[in-house]
Amino acid sequence: MNFIPYSKQVIEDDDLSNFIETLKSDFLTTGLKVNEFEREIYEISNAKYCVSVSNGTAALHLSALALLCEGDRVLTTPNSFIATANSILYAKATPVFVDICEDGSIDLDMCEDILKKDTSIKAIFAVSFSGKILDKKRLKHLKNTYNIKILEDNAHTMGAKLTYSDISIFSFHPVKHITTGEGGAVVTNDKALYEKIKMLRNHGQDDKHQMLDLGFNYRLSDISSTLGLSQIKKLYSFIDKRQSIAKRYDKAFQNTIVKPLYSFTKTSLYHLYVVRIDFSKLDISKDEVIKKMREKKIGVQVHYKPINKQPYYKSLGYGDEETPMMDRYSKECLSIPCYPTLSEDEQQYVVNSLLEVLNA
Ligand SMILES: *Cc1c(COP(=O)(O)O)cnc(C)c1O
């Protein structure tokens, strides 16, 4: 049997044929495929504007520069890929880590408690963790009541609709819902934000090649956009497959010590299928389980270790925040394989292997 990773891309014949066509064309970058891909993305997200970029981190970087001012304090989650919090630092602003709730996403009640007391908070950078779409009503309430900016890191939720947030970003890394190799996008309904981000993507130049700001080369190529165009057609079928896997896993783990992070919900697009296991009650450690699963050719991963406890963040003085939910969660969480081409036999093999390793 081949190795079963926690996630991987699906590349099919249609992806290949379109790709070759673009390679043979006049434009490998800055051509029409980029605009076509951007249109697909803003339509799917119900947004007015899209700027494609070279990866999800670039999307976060430019969004942070467009939304934040130096010194702003920004509420964010310890339960994300490091890039979410890093983007706040790129803008010389200050991340403030807030604990998570049961489903692994930032605790918006706690955000509100902080916003009531602390008027120096200018924004929330939230993540729709694992694919579960954030509570839009709560975000709207926080935005309107406290006059703050909201960025949704939707790297786990390609296809999430933009409603009240200022910006939503996506990633097209191969483990995400759709891929362009490396790639990312920013969507917004705000024309000024759109124009600023578009300018920063292209060295800080406007359409007349006047350099107005210190920008970057964060463009997505036509080659990548072509892959994105064939991939995005399959987004909903990929999501369907991930949701079916989640349903089947939920059922398979009923009455076992393996607890799904949340029970099946259509509001999750299942970028990750996360389970919680209370290792304090077992004779085996999480590291040993990861190692034994690897021996069985199954990749399981931890999403995530708390960002605020990373060595670099500790060197900045972070790490001692009161985040009991996150602390417990990060000890218990494991992401098990979930991707569209994972067969039913493979899913059963993952379930059996995990239960076997835990009982060993
Ligand atoms: C993948 C990911 C990113 C970064 O995206 P890249 O395209 O790899 O740069 C940012 N935030 C979250 C939550 C992610 O999962």
Side-chain angles (χ1 to χ4, degrees):
M1 194 180 356
N2 290 330
F3 189 82
I4 305 175
Y6 85 90
S7 187
K8 70 170 174 187
Q9 71 276 13
V10 179
I11 301 292
E12 295 167 315
D13 286 347
D14 58 328
D15 297 302
L16 298 180
S17 53
N18 293 342
F19 201 67
I20 289 167
E21 210 175 290
T22 297
L23 279 174
K24 288 181 178 165
S25 78
D26 288 339
F27 288 98
L28 302 187
T29 193
T30 65
L32 293 176
K33 293 292 174 191
V34 177
N35 304 345
E36 249 182 81
F37 185 41
E38 288 177 341
R39 190 179 329 119
E40 292 291 331
I41 297 167
Y42 69 65
E43 279 177 359
I44 253 180
S45 330
N46 262 353
K48 283 195 186 135
Y49 308 104
C50 170
V51 185
S52 62
V53 286
S54 45
N55 54 65
T57 305
L60 285 166
H61 183 182
L62 300 187
S63 300
L65 292 179
L67 283 174
L68 305 176
C69 297
E70 191 169 336
D72 282 357
R73 285 157 52 79
V74 181
L75 302 182
T76 193
T77 173
N79 192 26
S80 183
F81 183 58
I82 45 177
T84 314
N86 289 353
S87 70
I88 300 167
L89 294 178
Y90 294 159
K92 298 194 171 69
T94 304
V96 176
F97 292 98
V98 180
D99 208 358
I100 57 170
C101 39
E102 280 299 331
D103 65 6
S105 63
I106 192 167
D107 186 332
L108 293 175
D109 288 335
M110 218 170 267
C111 287
E112 178 148 25
D113 288 344
I114 297 171
L115 285 163
K116 273 180 192 156
K117 289 180 229 141
D118 186 345
T119 53
S120 71
I121 305 289
K122 302 295 185 218
I124 301 179
F125 277 28
V127 178
S128 43
F129 176 75
S130 78
K132 191 155 177 270
I133 290 169
L134 288 160
D135 183 343
K136 306 279 186 194
K137 275 196 195 132
R138 283 311 300 279
L139 289 178
K140 181 188 181 190
H141 165 76
L142 295 180
K143 184 170 167 52
N144 293 342
T145 312
Y146 301 97
N147 190 28
I148 51 164
K149 305 272 171 48
I150 292 183
L151 175 139
E152 282 180 53
D153 180 340
N154 279 323
H156 297 186
T157 28
M158 178 57 196
K161 308 288 181 215
L162 183 73
T163 49
Y164 309 107
S165 300
D166 297 277
I167 280 181
S168 149
I169 73 98
F170 302 115
S171 161
F172 310 127
H173 181 279
V175 297
K176 308 291 162 76
H177 284 94
I178 63 164
T179 191
T180 57
E182 294 276 3
V186 178
V187 296
T188 182
N189 287 327
D190 183 319
K191 191 156 189 246
L193 284 175
Y194 164 68
E195 281 173 352
K196 172 133 201 204
I197 290 167
K198 210 168 109 175
M199 173 190 74
L200 289 172
R201 172 183 68 175
N202 193 24
H203 307 278
Q205 301 176 100
D206 67 10
D207 292 341
K208 297 181 202 81
H209 298 286
Q210 293 231 84
M211 182 180 154
L212 305 174
D213 204 337
L214 187 62
F216 307 86
N217 175 358
Y218 277 173
R219 295 184 305 260
L220 189 70
S221 70
D222 277 58
I223 300 177
S224 301
S225 302
T226 301
L227 188 50
L229 278 167
S230 53
Q231 288 269 306
I232 206 165
K233 289 201 182 86
K234 296 179 268 193
L235 174 65
Y236 292 117
S237 75
F238 288 166
I239 292 171
D240 277 351
K241 290 199 176 119
R242 286 173 175 272
Q243 289 182 334
S244 312
I245 293 168
K247 263 190 213 159
R248 218 171 291 119
Y249 274 150
D250 270 20
K251 211 167 159 208
F253 290 124
Q254 258 173 21
N255 307 315
T256 72
I257 54 168
V258 178
K259 307 290 175 207
L261 178 58
Y262 41 83
S263 28
F264 180 79
T265 166
K266 280 226 159 203
T267 63
S268 177
L269 313 183
Y270 289 95
H271 159 58
L272 300 173
Y273 186 87
V274 180
V275 296
R276 295 182 67 147
I277 299 159
D278 186 354
F279 289 97
S280 70
K281 294 200 181 112
L282 302 176
D283 294 330
I284 188 164
S285 72
K286 180 144 87 171
D287 285 344
E288 283 170 288
V289 170
I290 294 172
K291 190 166 151 261
K292 291 213 160 141
M293 290 296 276
R294 201 154 260 285
E295 283 164 14
K296 291 178 179 293
K297 294 191 163 189
I298 300 170
V300 293
Q301 291 249 345
V302 174
H303 295 101
Y304 292 95
K305 289 184 184 145
I307 300 177
N308 53 323
K309 293 191 165 63
Q310 291 283 354
Y312 180 75
Y313 278 86
K314 279 193 170 171
S315 81
L316 300 180
Y318 289 96
D320 296 326
E321 295 83 355
E322 289 267 325
T323 51
M325 293 285 280
M326 180 64 201
D327 297 345
R328 218 187 98 207
Y329 165 83
S330 65
K331 286 194 189 107
E332 297 183 356
C333 70
L334 272 182
S335 305
I336 64 173
C338 183
Y339 52 87
T341 52
L342 186 72
S343 71
E344 286 192 34
D345 285 348
E346 286 170 326
Q347 290 162 48
Q348 195 57 53
Y349 176 67
V350 170
V351 170
N352 295 347
S353 302
L354 183 58
L355 294 174
E356 194 185 306
V357 165
L358 290 170
N359 288 329

